[in-house]
Each structure stands twice: as structure tokens, then as C-alpha cells.
Amino acid sequence: MLLSPFEWTIAKRYMLPGRGEAFIAMVAGISLAAVMLGVAALVIVMSVMNGFRGELLDKIVGLNGHAIIQAYGGRLENWQSVLKEVKATPGVVRASPLIEQPLLASFNGRVEAILVRGNTQVDINRLEAQKQAGNLDRLKPGAGQVAVGARLAENLGVRVGDVITIINPQGRSTPFGTVPREIGYTVSAIFEIGIYDYDQAFVVMPIQDAQTLLLTGDSIGMIEVKTNDPDKVGQILAPLSKKLAGQAVIQDWKTINASLFEALAVERVAMFIVLSIIVLVAVFNILSSLIMLVRAKTRDIAIMRTMGATRKSLMKIFVTIGFVIGALGTLAGLVLGFVFLFFRQPIVRLIEVLSGQNLWDPSIRFLTELPSRTDPAEVTVICVMALVFSFLATLYPALKAASTDPVQVLRYE
């Protein structure tokens, strides 16, 4: 819808405040600000929700793989043959044996519930990026070295070089009953995955040391699997599931964390709908400002009609005015949203200082920092939605202006 020089001149004149039109200009400014805030809120919230899902998926999958193959009874005896079969499955990128067992750890009188993880050397080396202190290379079979999560280290009060005692209730039988197995391990490294529940419980050691601690012999607890497409992990492992029927069960990341990711999905949709209403309310402001503008310019419209301006020209003028307000508000909202996302962590800290409240408790939020991932497709949908709403809001005032009867308006002039 291209405007002629005459139409564009009139549109620019009406978009700029004149004498006696300060109230109309103020309403138009409020409309622009409302669209800006609505678009910014949508961009910020949707990016944060995407960040939540993405960060949780990356960190959970990065630690536990896309799926877990767990034997019935908790022990997989012939795991070497199963591991070989898993690696041969099309679509499987990586498969690793794993031992995971809840136990207790003590240090200087403090006792904490822990989750012992026995990993291969390759999997232990993958923690290098999350390492905060120490040396992961010291975690060799038989060396008595472990790596602990950062929150667990804080709770126990341990540092690199300290010796913690891991207690296994399933100890050896004696004439006086079962004696819990207690073994001391030197903390060689401290890591932070970024998920509070993991960082406060995980103790990582070589898989051979975990077998010795748990008295499991050569058996393992499970096999973690990573595929080339996490969203199709069920299809990829379906043939393997049939082969292992009665021997082991396969659980993918969707099943293991179903309640968490379903809650995020529901909340994401709900937030989008609620915040879209903000944009809709802002668009009604555009509608009201245009209606007031049309009423204020009724005499000008009648004069332009007598001078030869067509109904189509008048419609184009007022549609352009409203659409420009919506477009500028959308653009300003994008800028505001991206600026907020870029400085999100300092803003959270500033609000915490001003309010005196802890807004981001990792024990509640799962993640240690406010995440953000902007989806270009979603941003495009938000912009298109705001612009379409703005365009629709201009139609009624534009039709009202185009239907003005110059004879009735100028009869007594």
C-alpha cells in the first residue's frame, strides 16, 4: 500500500503534535509505549522459557545422555555384549557404562546424602568444562580419588585435597551383623554442572572404584546412550528395546524428566497467551487515539474531500498513522527486550539489592543463573502478531474518516 506524496504529507502532519492536539499526541505516545512493553515482555519471557528448556535439556542430557538402559534388579551382568549391541544401533552416537547409587558421605562430623557415579575415564574427562578447582586427571582406577559437586563441597565444607568418607550400608556380614562399608576418598576436583540438584549430590569416581565400593564385581548399573537426535530417541532405540525385552528397560530423557518438561511447556503456552493480551490492550489504545484524531480532524477531512481527496486516500492516511505507531512500538519493544536479555543477570542482582529478596534461589530454580535463548521464529511471530493487531485496529477509524460526508460537516461553515 504505497502512499502518494499528498497522502504521505498529510500522514506525517497528523503524526506530529500540533497546537491544541497535545492530548491526542499523548494518547498516541501511550499507545506506542504500550506496544513496546507488550512486545518486550513477550520477547523476554519466551526467550527465558526457551532458555530454561534448552539449558535443562543440555545439562541433563550432557550428564545422563538421551536415554538410560537399566537392568531389572539394578545389575547388568553381561553389559559388554549389550554395550556392543547398543553402539551398533543406527543413530546412536555414544554409549557408556555407568554406575549410580545413593549413599552417604561424611567429613568433620558433617553427613550428606550423595549420589555416587562410577564413570569411564572418557566420561570423567567431559567434566573438564565444568571443573571449578582441582585436577580430573588424578581420577584413576585404584587411586582413591573423587570429584564432588560444588554445592556438596560447600555443604560438607571440603576443599581439594580433603578426604571424605563414603558410607555404603550394604557392607560385609560379620558374626555381629552387617557392618557398613566406610572408605576414605581424596577430593581431587570440584565441579559445577549448573543444576542445583546435581551439584549438591554427585560424587564422581572411576567405574572400577565404584564397583569395589558397592561390591558389585564386574557388573554395572546402567548404560547411558546419546543419539544424533534427542527428539527421536524413542524411534532410534525402538529396535533395541525389543531385543532387550525381559533383560533391561530403556528410559529416554522425555520419560525421566516428563513432569518437568511438560510443566515448562504448559507454562510457556500460558505465558504467551497472557502476554499477548498486553499487546492486544496496547492495540486498543491505538484504536482510541485514531478515533480521537478522526473526530478532531473532521473539518480537515471534509475540506480534503471537497478538494478531490478520495475515500481510498483517506483510508490509507489513517491506516498508515496507526500502523506506524504499531511498527515503532514493535521495533522499540524488540530493542528493549534484547537489551534486557543481554543485561538480565545484572538486572536480577540489582533488583535483589533494591528489594532485599533472593529472586534466584538455585535450589528452587534448578539452574544457577537466569537462562535465555532467543528463537528467531518466535520473535518473528511476535512481531507479525503485533503488526497485524495494529493494522486491524486502524481499519475502523480509517473507514470512519473515509465515510465522512463533507456536505454535512461544512453545511454551517
Side-chain angles (χ1 to χ4, degrees):
M1 186 174 63
L2 298 177
L3 274 68
S4 66
F6 158 72
E7 294 164 351
W8 181 241
T9 300
I10 299 299
K12 286 194 295 183
R13 170 66 185 82
Y14 285 173
M15 279 188 283
L16 298 174
R19 287 183 301 174
E21 300 170 354
F23 181 73
I24 297 175
M26 183 185 72
V27 173
I30 292 173
S31 303
L32 189 150
V35 173
M36 175 187 71
L37 293 175
V39 170
L42 269 172
V43 170
I44 292 168
V45 170
M46 298 309 294
S47 296
V48 169
M49 295 300 293
N50 288 336
F52 257 114
R53 186 183 185 279
E55 288 293 317
L56 282 173
L57 178 58
D58 287 350
K59 291 180 178 181
I60 289 174
V61 166
L63 194 67
N64 294 327
H66 294 153
I68 295 292
I69 300 174
Q70 191 163 13
Y72 292 110
R75 289 192 180 186
L76 194 61
E77 302 292 345
N78 59 333
W79 62 271
Q80 291 90 346
S81 60
V82 175
L83 181 63
K84 190 175 182 180
E85 197 166 1
V86 173
K87 289 182 177 180
T89 303
V92 173
V93 177
R94 188 182 79 239
S96 303
L98 172 68
I99 293 177
E100 194 170 275
Q101 182 70 32
L103 297 175
L104 293 173
S106 67
F107 177 76
N108 282 349
R110 298 183 183 180
V111 179
E112 291 286 336
I114 63 171
L115 198 61
V116 169
R117 283 177 63 94
N119 286 120
T120 62
Q121 196 63 44
V122 175
D123 291 330
I124 291 173
N125 292 338
R126 290 195 181 95
L127 287 173
E128 189 66 36
Q130 287 81 36
K131 184 186 69 177
Q132 282 192 334
N135 188 353
L136 290 171
D137 293 335
R138 296 177 183 172
L139 270 72
K140 301 295 182 182
Q145 305 275 336
V146 295
V148 302
R151 303 288 85 76
L152 178 61
E154 290 178 6
N155 294 339
L156 287 174
V158 302
R159 295 175 295 180
V160 174
D162 291 335
V163 177
I164 63 172
T165 301
I166 297 181
I167 305 167
N168 179 12
Q170 296 180 347
R172 297 186 180 277
S173 298
T174 68
F176 303 99
T178 302
V179 177
R181 187 174 175 80
E182 299 183 11
I183 301 180
Y185 292 92
T186 302
V187 176
S188 64
I190 296 174
F191 59 86
E192 183 175 21
I193 297 168
I195 298 180
Y196 187 86
D197 289 354
Y198 292 172
D199 291 332
Q200 74 166 351
F202 277 177
V203 174
V204 176
M205 64 176 63
I207 194 168
Q208 295 87 343
D209 289 358
Q211 289 172 334
T212 302
L213 172 65
L214 299 172
L215 303 173
T216 59
D218 190 41
S219 66
I220 63 170
M222 59 193 74
I223 296 174
E224 61 175 7
V225 182
K226 185 176 182 181
T227 62
N228 53 15
D229 189 348
D231 292 322
K232 295 181 179 178
V233 61
Q235 301 174 21
I236 293 172
L237 298 180
L240 188 64
S241 182
K242 295 178 181 178
K243 294 179 182 179
L244 297 177
Q247 182 181 3
V249 61
I250 299 178
Q251 291 183 306
D252 59 29
W253 64 271
K254 297 178 183 178
T255 304
I256 298 171
N257 306 283
S259 58
L260 177 60
F261 285 103
E262 284 177 9
L264 284 175
V266 172
E267 187 176 356
R268 184 167 166 267
V269 173
M271 293 300 292
F272 183 85
I273 294 173
V274 170
L275 293 175
S276 296
I277 296 175
I278 297 177
V279 179
L280 192 59
V281 171
V283 165
F284 277 112
N285 287 334
I286 296 177
L287 174 65
S288 61
S289 65
L290 283 180
I291 290 175
M292 286 189 290
L293 181 63
V294 170
R295 290 182 65 86
K297 299 297 183 181
T298 301
R299 185 172 178 275
D300 293 358
I301 293 170
I303 293 174
M304 284 189 288
R305 290 280 287 122
T306 59
M307 294 176 65
T310 63
R311 294 177 183 271
K312 183 178 179 182
S313 292
L314 291 173
M315 279 199 66
K316 289 165 68 176
I317 289 170
F318 285 94
V319 166
T320 299
I321 294 170
F323 188 79
V324 167
I325 293 174
L328 290 176
T330 302
L331 180 61
L334 288 177
V335 173
L336 178 62
F338 289 136
V339 168
F340 184 94
L341 291 173
F342 185 79
F343 295 103
R344 62 188 183 279
Q345 209 57 40
I347 290 173
V348 169
R349 295 193 188 100
L350 176 63
I351 296 174
E352 288 179 341
V353 171
L354 295 177
S355 65
Q357 300 293 324
N358 184 6
L359 301 180
W360 197 261
D361 186 352
S363 63
I364 299 174
R365 312 291 184 183
F366 291 102
L367 302 177
T368 53
E369 289 188 353
L370 180 66
S372 171
R373 287 193 186 185
T374 303
D375 184 353
E378 282 186 350
V379 172
T380 302
V381 170
I382 292 170
C383 292
V384 170
M385 180 186 69
L387 294 176
V388 169
F389 283 172
S390 301
F391 173 75
L392 293 176
T394 64
L395 294 181
Y396 175 74
L399 286 170
K400 199 72 175 173
S403 61
T404 300
D405 187 353
V407 176
Q408 294 294 329
V409 175
L410 300 176
R411 174 179 292 177
Y412 302 105
E413 294 290 333

